[in-house]
Amino acid sequence: MVRRRFPVLLLHIFSMFAGTAGNTQEILYPFGPEHRDLETPKMDDGSSAEITLSISFVYFNIPYRTVYVNNNGVISFNVQVSQFTPEAFPLSDSRSFIAPLWADVHNGIRGDVYYRESTEPELLEKATQDVRKYFKNMPAFTATWVFITTWHQVTFYGGSQTTPVRFKCILLLNLA
């Protein structure tokens, strides 16, 4: 039997100013230092250092072993992305990335950008149930790996303390 990895991408986007100011913590996957998350530097157009993954994440049939978490709402493969102005896909250069909310985010003004890779059973079970709930054609999906990125109460360049946005990107793998 051939074992293949099937990647899945889940996005959660919440905005304080769009009427979801209630407690979204129970909707979001757990995040923050108490969950052993790492954090990107607090700076305009910043990024994490290169992150080596414990597995290969296959994206458009290309396996990647490293990613960058970019403050401007992008998870990129092979290169950092400091650009804050979105472009139409497909891009004309060789950059490959996932853009849950590509914008001019500035966590130096407000907010934090957290990330972590995990195989914790509780997270895998939550991810499995979410995929099965929202993708009815994948009843046999079982998450075996997650990479969670959370942009928590960040604002845009030139923004203020009163315009926070929260969004999250979850990369999942199913070893089937």
Side-chain angles (χ1 to χ4, degrees), residues 25 31 41 55 58 73 79 81 95 97-98 107 118 121 123 149 172:
Q25 184 66 28
F31 63 92
I55 52 84
V58 179
V79 297
V81 177
R95 293 179 298 167
F97 56 83
I98 298 166
N107 65 334
S118 179
L123 287 175
T149 307
L172 306 170

Side-chain angles (χ1 to χ4, degrees), residues 103-132:
D104 195 3
V105 174
H106 192 338
N107 65 334
I109 296 172
R110 179 185 176 130
D112 302 290
V113 181
Y114 299 111
Y115 61 93
R116 79 177 177 281
E117 177 181 36
S118 179
T119 56
E120 294 175 33
E122 302 80 29
L123 287 175
L124 297 178
E125 179 60 26
K126 179 173 178 40
T128 296
Q129 294 309 315
D130 282 349
V131 169
R132 290 179 183 175

